[in-house]
Amino acid sequence: MAVYHKRNKYGSRKITRDGMTFDSLKEYRKFRELHLLKKAGEIADLKRQVEFELIPAQFEEVPTGEYYKRGERTGQPKMKRVCLEQSVKYIADFTYTKNGETIVEDTKGFRTADYIIKRKLMLYRHGIKIKET
């Protein structure tokens, strides 16, 4: 039984099948295809929604307004770590191994500017070229 959800701005609808939620019908169909290839032994280690860090979070040490009262650091300001920028991550639709090579695959209906930048960062930072379907 399929459960359909509200459309997003690019026209795709989330779909829930077999207890899993997919971002689109196209992504679900690709998963079924890859799952059959896995059963046939043509691919291995099939994973969904794998996260890759492209740019790490950036922090700054700032004084708390308090000072150490004992020990080696007596009189020095206490510091806390504050996040200036959160990390940038790319979440791949699928990853799997084929003939000893790891493949990162993404089902795309529309290539946004954000996606294009992340695709380039994946190649630059991890040396991984994303296979688009």
PDB file of all heavy atoms in Angstrom, residues 1 11-15 25-26 67 70 72 83 87 94 97 120-122 133:
ATOM      1  N   MET A   1       0.838  -1.183   0.000  1.00  0.00           N
ATOM      2  CA  MET A   1       0.000   0.000   0.000  1.00  0.00           C
ATOM      3  C   MET A   1       0.883   1.246   0.000  1.00  0.00           C
ATOM      4  O   MET A   1       1.827   1.354   0.763  1.00  0.00           O
ATOM      5  CB  MET A   1      -0.887  -0.008   1.238  1.00  0.00           C
ATOM      6  CG  MET A   1      -1.839   1.153   1.276  1.00  0.00           C
ATOM      7  SD  MET A   1      -2.939   0.987   2.675  1.00  0.00           S
ATOM      8  CE  MET A   1      -2.765   2.600   3.359  1.00  0.00           C
ATOM      9  N   GLY A  11       7.904  19.354  -7.713  1.00  0.00           N
ATOM     10  CA  GLY A  11       6.875  18.479  -8.252  1.00  0.00           C
ATOM     11  C   GLY A  11       6.943  17.033  -7.804  1.00  0.00           C
ATOM     12  O   GLY A  11       6.039  16.261  -8.080  1.00  0.00           O
ATOM     13  N   SER A  12       8.017  16.624  -7.119  1.00  0.00           N
ATOM     14  CA  SER A  12       8.085  15.236  -6.672  1.00  0.00           C
ATOM     15  C   SER A  12       7.322  15.080  -5.359  1.00  0.00           C
ATOM     16  O   SER A  12       7.129  16.039  -4.620  1.00  0.00           O
ATOM     17  CB  SER A  12       9.540  14.798  -6.487  1.00  0.00           C
ATOM     18  OG  SER A  12      10.142  15.532  -5.460  1.00  0.00           O
ATOM     19  N   ARG A  13       6.873  13.866  -5.105  1.00  0.00           N
ATOM     20  CA  ARG A  13       6.146  13.573  -3.868  1.00  0.00           C
ATOM     21  C   ARG A  13       6.879  12.491  -3.109  1.00  0.00           C
ATOM     22  O   ARG A  13       7.357  11.527  -3.709  1.00  0.00           O
ATOM     23  CB  ARG A  13       4.741  13.075  -4.181  1.00  0.00           C
ATOM     24  CG  ARG A  13       3.833  14.129  -4.737  1.00  0.00           C
ATOM     25  CD  ARG A  13       2.461  13.579  -4.946  1.00  0.00           C
ATOM     26  NE  ARG A  13       2.477  12.704  -6.120  1.00  0.00           N
ATOM     27  CZ  ARG A  13       1.436  12.039  -6.576  1.00  0.00           C
ATOM     28  NH1 ARG A  13       0.290  12.121  -5.964  1.00  0.00           N
ATOM     29  NH2 ARG A  13       1.523  11.295  -7.642  1.00  0.00           N
ATOM     30  N   LYS A  14       6.944  12.641  -1.803  1.00  0.00           N
ATOM     31  CA  LYS A  14       7.510  11.576  -0.981  1.00  0.00           C
ATOM     32  C   LYS A  14       6.575  10.384  -1.055  1.00  0.00           C
ATOM     33  O   LYS A  14       5.367  10.536  -1.158  1.00  0.00           O
ATOM     34  CB  LYS A  14       7.680  12.030   0.461  1.00  0.00           C
ATOM     35  CG  LYS A  14       8.817  13.013   0.640  1.00  0.00           C
ATOM     36  CD  LYS A  14       9.152  13.183   2.095  1.00  0.00           C
ATOM     37  CE  LYS A  14      10.254  14.182   2.268  1.00  0.00           C
ATOM     38  NZ  LYS A  14      11.564  13.573   2.245  1.00  0.00           N
ATOM     39  N   ILE A  15       7.176   9.211  -1.011  1.00  0.00           N
ATOM     40  CA  ILE A  15       6.387   7.985  -1.109  1.00  0.00           C
ATOM     41  C   ILE A  15       6.919   6.991  -0.081  1.00  0.00           C
ATOM     42  O   ILE A  15       8.132   6.908   0.121  1.00  0.00           O
ATOM     43  CB  ILE A  15       6.449   7.416  -2.545  1.00  0.00           C
ATOM     44  CG1 ILE A  15       5.593   6.174  -2.679  1.00  0.00           C
ATOM     45  CG2 ILE A  15       7.857   7.150  -2.986  1.00  0.00           C
ATOM     46  CD1 ILE A  15       5.434   5.691  -4.103  1.00  0.00           C
ATOM     47  N   LEU A  25       9.009   8.916  -6.506  1.00  0.00           N
ATOM     48  CA  LEU A  25       8.712   7.617  -7.107  1.00  0.00           C
ATOM     49  C   LEU A  25       9.909   7.134  -7.920  1.00  0.00           C
ATOM     50  O   LEU A  25      10.236   5.945  -7.934  1.00  0.00           O
ATOM     51  CB  LEU A  25       7.461   7.724  -7.983  1.00  0.00           C
ATOM     52  CG  LEU A  25       6.933   6.428  -8.575  1.00  0.00           C
ATOM     53  CD1 LEU A  25       6.588   5.425  -7.488  1.00  0.00           C
ATOM     54  CD2 LEU A  25       5.702   6.714  -9.431  1.00  0.00           C
ATOM     55  N   LYS A  26      10.594   8.060  -8.565  1.00  0.00           N
ATOM     56  CA  LYS A  26      11.785   7.728  -9.350  1.00  0.00           C
ATOM     57  C   LYS A  26      12.865   7.110  -8.455  1.00  0.00           C
ATOM     58  O   LYS A  26      13.499   6.119  -8.819  1.00  0.00           O
ATOM     59  CB  LYS A  26      12.314   8.994 -10.036  1.00  0.00           C
ATOM     60  CG  LYS A  26      13.492   8.763 -10.939  1.00  0.00           C
ATOM     61  CD  LYS A  26      13.898  10.065 -11.617  1.00  0.00           C
ATOM     62  CE  LYS A  26      15.046   9.860 -12.570  1.00  0.00           C
ATOM     63  NZ  LYS A  26      15.448  11.082 -13.231  1.00  0.00           N
ATOM     64  N   TYR A  67      36.358  34.076  35.090  1.00  0.00           N
ATOM     65  CA  TYR A  67      37.805  33.869  35.171  1.00  0.00           C
ATOM     66  C   TYR A  67      38.094  32.683  36.076  1.00  0.00           C
ATOM     67  O   TYR A  67      37.347  32.402  37.012  1.00  0.00           O
ATOM     68  CB  TYR A  67      38.494  35.126  35.711  1.00  0.00           C
ATOM     69  CG  TYR A  67      38.401  36.290  34.754  1.00  0.00           C
ATOM     70  CD1 TYR A  67      37.311  37.152  34.808  1.00  0.00           C
ATOM     71  CD2 TYR A  67      39.367  36.506  33.793  1.00  0.00           C
ATOM     72  CE1 TYR A  67      37.197  38.214  33.913  1.00  0.00           C
ATOM     73  CE2 TYR A  67      39.261  37.556  32.900  1.00  0.00           C
ATOM     74  CZ  TYR A  67      38.177  38.403  32.967  1.00  0.00           C
ATOM     75  OH  TYR A  67      38.059  39.444  32.084  1.00  0.00           O
ATOM     76  N   ARG A  70      41.343  29.179  40.558  1.00  0.00           N
ATOM     77  CA  ARG A  70      42.351  28.294  41.140  1.00  0.00           C
ATOM     78  C   ARG A  70      43.198  27.663  40.037  1.00  0.00           C
ATOM     79  O   ARG A  70      42.825  27.653  38.886  1.00  0.00           O
ATOM     80  CB  ARG A  70      41.672  27.143  41.896  1.00  0.00           C
ATOM     81  CG  ARG A  70      40.916  27.561  43.088  1.00  0.00           C
ATOM     82  CD  ARG A  70      40.413  26.335  43.838  1.00  0.00           C
ATOM     83  NE  ARG A  70      39.024  26.588  44.193  1.00  0.00           N
ATOM     84  CZ  ARG A  70      38.045  25.736  44.136  1.00  0.00           C
ATOM     85  NH1 ARG A  70      38.258  24.524  43.747  1.00  0.00           N
ATOM     86  NH2 ARG A  70      36.835  26.068  44.471  1.00  0.00           N
ATOM     87  N   GLU A  72      46.662  26.532  37.682  1.00  0.00           N
ATOM     88  CA  GLU A  72      47.631  27.192  36.802  1.00  0.00           C
ATOM     89  C   GLU A  72      47.058  28.387  36.063  1.00  0.00           C
ATOM     90  O   GLU A  72      47.764  29.333  35.750  1.00  0.00           O
ATOM     91  CB  GLU A  72      48.145  26.209  35.745  1.00  0.00           C
ATOM     92  CG  GLU A  72      49.019  25.119  36.241  1.00  0.00           C
ATOM     93  CD  GLU A  72      49.447  24.207  35.101  1.00  0.00           C
ATOM     94  OE1 GLU A  72      49.309  24.565  33.924  1.00  0.00           O
ATOM     95  OE2 GLU A  72      49.930  23.117  35.419  1.00  0.00           O
ATOM     96  N   CYS A  83      29.916  27.822  17.593  1.00  0.00           N
ATOM     97  CA  CYS A  83      29.850  27.449  16.180  1.00  0.00           C
ATOM     98  C   CYS A  83      29.525  28.692  15.344  1.00  0.00           C
ATOM     99  O   CYS A  83      28.501  29.334  15.543  1.00  0.00           O
ATOM    100  CB  CYS A  83      28.790  26.379  15.964  1.00  0.00           C
ATOM    101  SG  CYS A  83      28.677  25.819  14.255  1.00  0.00           S
ATOM    102  N   SER A  87      28.476  22.603   9.451  1.00  0.00           N
ATOM    103  CA  SER A  87      29.116  21.858   8.374  1.00  0.00           C
ATOM    104  C   SER A  87      28.179  21.766   7.163  1.00  0.00           C
ATOM    105  O   SER A  87      26.968  21.900   7.297  1.00  0.00           O
ATOM    106  CB  SER A  87      29.491  20.452   8.850  1.00  0.00           C
ATOM    107  OG  SER A  87      28.339  19.728   9.173  1.00  0.00           O
ATOM    108  N   PHE A  94      22.054   6.674  -2.915  1.00  0.00           N
ATOM    109  CA  PHE A  94      22.512   5.290  -2.815  1.00  0.00           C
ATOM    110  C   PHE A  94      24.029   5.222  -2.923  1.00  0.00           C
ATOM    111  O   PHE A  94      24.638   6.003  -3.651  1.00  0.00           O
ATOM    112  CB  PHE A  94      21.934   4.434  -3.953  1.00  0.00           C
ATOM    113  CG  PHE A  94      20.455   4.549  -4.101  1.00  0.00           C
ATOM    114  CD1 PHE A  94      19.901   5.275  -5.139  1.00  0.00           C
ATOM    115  CD2 PHE A  94      19.605   3.939  -3.200  1.00  0.00           C
ATOM    116  CE1 PHE A  94      18.525   5.390  -5.291  1.00  0.00           C
ATOM    117  CE2 PHE A  94      18.232   4.052  -3.331  1.00  0.00           C
ATOM    118  CZ  PHE A  94      17.691   4.780  -4.376  1.00  0.00           C
ATOM    119  N   THR A  97      28.799  -1.155  -4.030  1.00  0.00           N
ATOM    120  CA  THR A  97      30.069  -1.611  -4.584  1.00  0.00           C
ATOM    121  C   THR A  97      29.775  -2.468  -5.809  1.00  0.00           C
ATOM    122  O   THR A  97      28.949  -3.371  -5.750  1.00  0.00           O
ATOM    123  CB  THR A  97      30.852  -2.435  -3.543  1.00  0.00           C
ATOM    124  OG1 THR A  97      30.979  -1.662  -2.360  1.00  0.00           O
ATOM    125  CG2 THR A  97      32.231  -2.797  -4.047  1.00  0.00           C
ATOM    126  N   LYS A 120      30.363  19.172  -7.154  1.00  0.00           N
ATOM    127  CA  LYS A 120      31.752  19.585  -7.392  1.00  0.00           C
ATOM    128  C   LYS A 120      32.608  19.402  -6.142  1.00  0.00           C
ATOM    129  O   LYS A 120      33.767  18.982  -6.229  1.00  0.00           O
ATOM    130  CB  LYS A 120      31.788  21.039  -7.857  1.00  0.00           C
ATOM    131  CG  LYS A 120      31.217  21.218  -9.247  1.00  0.00           C
ATOM    132  CD  LYS A 120      31.163  22.668  -9.651  1.00  0.00           C
ATOM    133  CE  LYS A 120      30.548  22.805 -11.035  1.00  0.00           C
ATOM    134  NZ  LYS A 120      30.574  24.191 -11.524  1.00  0.00           N
ATOM    135  N   LEU A 121      32.049  19.697  -4.967  1.00  0.00           N
ATOM    136  CA  LEU A 121      32.782  19.512  -3.716  1.00  0.00           C
ATOM    137  C   LEU A 121      33.044  18.026  -3.439  1.00  0.00           C
ATOM    138  O   LEU A 121      34.078  17.675  -2.870  1.00  0.00           O
ATOM    139  CB  LEU A 121      32.027  20.139  -2.542  1.00  0.00           C
ATOM    140  CG  LEU A 121      32.129  21.660  -2.445  1.00  0.00           C
ATOM    141  CD1 LEU A 121      31.137  22.200  -1.426  1.00  0.00           C
ATOM    142  CD2 LEU A 121      33.544  22.085  -2.081  1.00  0.00           C
ATOM    143  N   MET A 122      32.114  17.152  -3.809  1.00  0.00           N
ATOM    144  CA  MET A 122      32.329  15.708  -3.644  1.00  0.00           C
ATOM    145  C   MET A 122      33.532  15.255  -4.462  1.00  0.00           C
ATOM    146  O   MET A 122      34.355  14.471  -3.990  1.00  0.00           O
ATOM    147  CB  MET A 122      31.090  14.922  -4.087  1.00  0.00           C
ATOM    148  CG  MET A 122      30.023  14.811  -3.056  1.00  0.00           C
ATOM    149  SD  MET A 122      30.452  13.760  -1.667  1.00  0.00           S
ATOM    150  CE  MET A 122      30.309  12.147  -2.400  1.00  0.00           C
ATOM    151  N   THR A 133      21.118   9.631 -12.114  1.00  0.00           N
ATOM    152  CA  THR A 133      20.131   8.898 -12.907  1.00  0.00           C
ATOM    153  C   THR A 133      18.825   9.649 -12.935  1.00  0.00           C
ATOM    154  O   THR A 133      18.541  10.443 -12.080  1.00  0.00           O
ATOM    155  CB  THR A 133      19.887   7.485 -12.352  1.00  0.00           C
ATOM    156  OG1 THR A 133      19.557   7.583 -10.980  1.00  0.00           O
ATOM    157  CG2 THR A 133      21.117   6.625 -12.505  1.00  0.00           C
TER     158      THR A 133
END
